[in-house]
Amino acid sequence: MLRRGSQALRRFSTRRVYFKNKLKLALIGQSVFGQEVYSHLRKEGHRVVGVFTVPDKDGKADPLALVAEKDGTPVFKFPKWRVKGKTIKEVAEAYRSVGAELNVLPFCTQFIPMDIIDSPKHGSIIYHPSILPRHRGASAINWTLITGDKKAGFSVFWADDGLDTGPILLQRSCDVEPNDTVDTLYNRFLFPEGIKAMVEAVQLIADGKAPRIPQPEEGATYEGIQKKENAEISWNWSAEVLHNWIRGHDKVPGAWTEINGQMVTFYGSTLLNSSVPPGEPLEIKGAKTPGLVTKNGLVIFGNDGKALMVRNLQFEDGKMIPASQYFSAGETSVVELTADEVKVAETIKVIWAGILSNVPIIEDSTDFFKSGASSMDVARLVEEIRQKCGGLQLQNEDVYMATKFEDFIQKVVRKLRGEDQEAELVVDYVSKEVNEMTVKMPYQCFINGQFTDADDGKTYDTINPTDGSIICKVSYASLSDVDKAVAAAKDAFENGEWGRMNARERGRLMYRLADLLEENQEELATIEALDSGAVYTLALKTHIGMSVQTFRYFAGWCDKIQGSTIPINQARPNRNLTFTKKEPLGVCAIIIPWNYPLMMLAWKSAACLAAGNTLVLKPAQVTPLTALKFAELSAKAGFPKGVINIIPGSGGIAGQRLSEHPDIRKLGFTGSTPIGKQIMKSCALSNLKKVSLELGGKSPLIIFNDCELDKAVRMGMGAVFFNKGENCIAAGRLFVEESIHDEFVTRVVEEIKKMKIGDPLERSTDHGPQNHKAHLEKLLQYCETGVKEGATLVYGGRQVQRPGFFMEPTVFTDVEDHMFLAKEESFGPIMVISKFQNGDIDGVLQRANNTEYGLASGVFTRDINKAMYASEKLEAGTVFINTYNKTDVAAPFGGVKQSGFGKDLGEEALNEYLKTKTVTLEY
């Protein structure tokens, strides 16, 4: 049955391409890129009639030769194609014997004679990794970076007798990121998109639609192969030019300088946009300013005084070390292996032997690269170790830093023991002695796993609403900071460890983060009280407590996200299998409000991360501090760099850029309805990114005369005054049945008088300050409007006469449906009461629904039939019955109408951060 099924699938696979023109191809070249082009062309139905590649090296066949031989494709391995300028007769005869209609050269290091190039019916096409005519020659990617190009790309062109001068068939381009290297450019764009483009080019030729666009000579450049002797660093360059030179030579041939009399090669350069960290000076020959060996690497300076960080150093003997360990490079002692570690070493020796098949015995002194391994083998080694050694995650750089087998095993053992971790996260804190503890608050942007100043150095003051004092200055993210954060998130998703991580490992990290939030809950609650005015005891239970619960809940979902199989109509005699897959969206932006700074972060980011996305989060400008503390804890939990990025700043700059950014695939926003509409418009116009919005509310609370009045009074007050009224689901309007109206109002006022207004850090405080000064002023204006329109101010309506932004809990009655107070949300401690006639259930429901908002609602009654009837008729995302503010991490939360769409919390929240892919197979 299985064999017949395979045959049926094979028949289907070939039949699907009958409707396209197909060619007989000769592939000339080598490498993994050539292998992938070969495989994709065959999948598209083209016939590869011959593969012409390089001879085996040290007994190892090229990857292109390996896959072609496995498929039974004729493979020819010529050391050269011509002698003294003339094509070798035997080579030409072997080539012509395959009868190719087109030569495809995806990557070729050999010189191919023109009679071979011109021999097929359609000639020859070549892949070149630059936007021709710029950077003709063999080191095009390197020169793209060395010269500081803002755009990189590739060309597929028709071969002629010049050097990369033939007519263009197609070109593709991408932006060069500030810290791109040859590897990142190649892996992110040139490799995957180049494969697609080669296949597309062949099909265009087959269909007779391939253009031949002459290359202009204007703008043409030619640069030769960079060699080690030409790669010396000049210290007369600016920091940016230095950075481009180093990254343009990373990994081959390597930019170098002289330190203490020997050649030292620099790898892993990044521009340093933050303040220079402390370190130990290092004299470098020719440099006007000594370098600094810091915890994160070697800081070097350009002639413009700006700095860059170098991550790794390689010495003349080939040994590579982290630059941070320059002064302690010789201090590492040999570790003795335990029995379990010996088993791991034996497994790794077998892996090395499989890769280095030309080496009879793997000894301690065996050098991985000197034995013939290439960069492709590095990726294979890392992946095989991960698969066969219990998920041990190495990085490519680990191989480059320990090329001898003995050194490599030592590095692996230290990694297993946790002794080889990355340098400790560097955090500049603002510290305060408050609430009987030392509170340490990060204040910089958190981008790609590092705290850093804003690109332009701008800061702003974040204010303590309890007394109006400045807590600290916080980095004010610029447009370039947003772009860097998005680029980091994109790279982490597409190329980083996060994208390869299995779901359970992702869940483990989230559980660890939840544990760290809980371990630091007192400090987090104190920061929340300082920055937002939240009462400490409430912050401890709700702001922080529910954040912990949210991360634990979604951590449990990580390995339970799944699609489904779907029965569909069968096209007899064939059979079909259709199934769906749930996949992450990619980079997600999250913009959160100031009323529950950490909890709103948790509601959105936990679901986002559980689904496998990466994120860039902008906290509210007035309350950034718990988000930045969260960033610190996420790094300590082990989240890979770039997965979580936090950018404090303004909505008009950072928030708007997030909504417009083309690399963001989803934006989750909680805030006002007008801003939500603007965000939705920007998301649509930019790249039609997915959006979820939790917006304003005017939630009605209906209190019937058959309710339990004590409970209704207590919970009615909570519905309005909880968290100082700064609560998205706060009861914006109370409808109280006429027969109990007066008693209800009297009892509410009595309870308000018992409330203690004061310092949110005092344990006995019931009611803290409003979040910020502008909001307090808006609330006072709201009350003035209510009085002018004729509503009765029963209690409050004034600012409390003390330092800070305190407002009296306020009660209005006699509020009629046409009044401003009846229609608009206050988002503060203002109870708006309207009465309704006894028994008029439908009338009060109609009045309750007479609003453009629909976030939440509530009903108090002992009559279950009345309660259920009201819950059916109320137009809101949530209906509370004989309770209020009862949210739970497992219950979906979100509004209708102009209160937005999409859900936070519960299983439904995951769908906001997932896409569904349908796969249909015929067999």
Side-chain angles (χ1 to χ4, degrees), residues 493-494 561-564 579-588 607-608 610-613 663-666 688-690 908-919:
F493 181 79
E494 294 180 352
I561 298 170
Q562 55 190 321
S564 58
F579 60 91
T580 60
K581 297 172 65 180
K582 297 286 188 180
E583 298 179 342
L585 298 169
V587 181
C588 298
C608 174
N613 301 286
D663 288 333
I664 290 173
R665 295 298 168 194
K666 159 70 196 276
L688 210 63
K689 56 178 66 71
K690 189 174 183 180
E908 285 195 40
L910 288 169
N911 293 324
E912 301 295 331
Y913 296 93
L914 292 166
K915 59 186 177 185
T916 301
K917 178 182 287 182
T918 301
V919 180

Side-chain angles (χ1 to χ4, degrees), residues 230-274:
N230 301 326
E232 184 176 5
I233 294 167
S234 168
W235 295 102
N236 293 320
W237 294 332
S238 68
E240 184 176 1
V241 174
L242 276 174
H243 170 59
N244 290 335
W245 185 259
I246 294 169
R247 66 178 178 147
H249 290 83
D250 190 341
K251 294 279 192 293
V252 178
W256 61 275
T257 191
E258 186 177 320
I259 301 177
N260 291 331
Q262 71 166 313
M263 179 191 293
V264 178
T265 304
F266 289 179
Y267 296 107
S269 168
T270 55
L271 289 168
L272 193 64
N273 295 312
S274 58

Side-chain angles (χ1 to χ4, degrees), residues 42-53:
R42 279 172 50 87
K43 286 179 184 177
E44 288 299 310
H46 297 285
R47 183 182 170 197
V48 180
V49 293
V51 165
F52 299 84
T53 187

Side-chain angles (χ1 to χ4, degrees), residues 347-581:
T347 301
I348 293 174
K349 181 174 282 191
V350 172
I351 296 171
W352 273 52
I355 295 172
L356 305 176
S357 56
N358 56 306
V359 178
I361 300 174
I362 303 297
E363 299 176 337
D364 285 348
S365 60
T366 300
D367 188 285
F368 193 67
F369 295 105
K370 291 179 180 178
S371 299
S374 65
S375 58
M376 177 194 70
D377 296 314
V378 173
R380 174 182 167 184
L381 176 61
V382 169
E383 284 302 304
E384 280 202 58
I385 289 174
R386 183 180 64 81
Q387 291 174 355
K388 297 176 181 178
C389 298
L392 175 61
Q393 188 67 57
L394 300 177
Q395 303 299 322
N396 290 1
E397 287 179 359
D398 294 328
V399 186
Y400 289 111
M401 289 185 189
T403 60
K404 291 182 180 179
F405 183 75
E406 182 180 32
D407 296 338
F408 185 74
I409 292 301
Q410 291 285 309
K411 176 168 277 293
V412 167
V413 170
R414 289 191 174 91
K415 182 85 70 171
L416 286 169
R417 297 179 182 181
E419 298 171 4
D420 197 28
Q421 301 298 320
E422 287 190 7
E424 185 179 350
L425 178 70
V426 177
V427 188
D428 286 336
Y429 296 108
V430 170
S431 298
K432 288 189 179 294
E433 296 293 330
V434 61
N435 203 22
E436 299 181 356
M437 68 180 76
T438 301
V439 176
K440 300 169 74 175
M441 297 172 285
Y443 60 88
Q444 297 167 295
C445 301
F446 185 74
I447 300 173
N448 201 26
Q450 295 181 328
F451 283 102
T452 179
D453 292 336
D455 198 37
D456 55 12
K458 287 186 178 179
T459 62
Y460 69 95
D461 296 333
T462 186
I463 304 298
N464 183 346
T466 301
D467 58 12
S469 63
I470 297 171
I471 302 172
C472 64
K473 291 187 178 297
V474 176
S475 292
Y476 189 83
S478 65
L479 293 177
S480 63
D481 294 310
V482 177
D483 290 344
K484 287 177 186 176
V486 174
K490 184 180 180 184
D491 186 60
F493 181 79
E494 294 180 352
N495 305 311
E497 178 187 352
W498 182 254
R500 300 187 301 268
M501 188 179 293
N502 68 60
R504 289 183 183 173
E505 178 65 13
R506 195 162 68 236
R508 186 192 67 79
L509 286 179
M510 292 184 65
Y511 277 123
R512 175 62 180 146
L513 179 54
D515 291 344
L516 286 171
L517 290 170
E518 188 170 53
E519 289 170 18
N520 292 271
Q521 60 183 333
E522 289 85 1
E523 184 179 20
L524 287 164
T526 301
I527 297 172
E528 203 86 316
L530 289 174
D531 205 24
S532 76
V535 172
Y536 174 77
T537 50
L538 174 65
L540 200 60
K541 178 181 182 297
T542 302
H543 292 232
I544 315 306
M546 195 171 188
S547 301
V548 173
Q549 293 173 26
T550 303
F551 269 94
R552 287 195 175 133
Y553 174 80
F554 283 108
W557 267 110
C558 287
D559 61 355
K560 300 171 187 67
I561 298 170
Q562 55 190 321
S564 58
T565 55
I566 303 169
I568 65 171
N569 287 337
Q570 308 292 341
R572 295 179 180 178
N574 300 313
R575 297 173 65 82
N576 298 99
L577 170 65
T578 295
F579 60 91
T580 60
K581 297 172 65 180

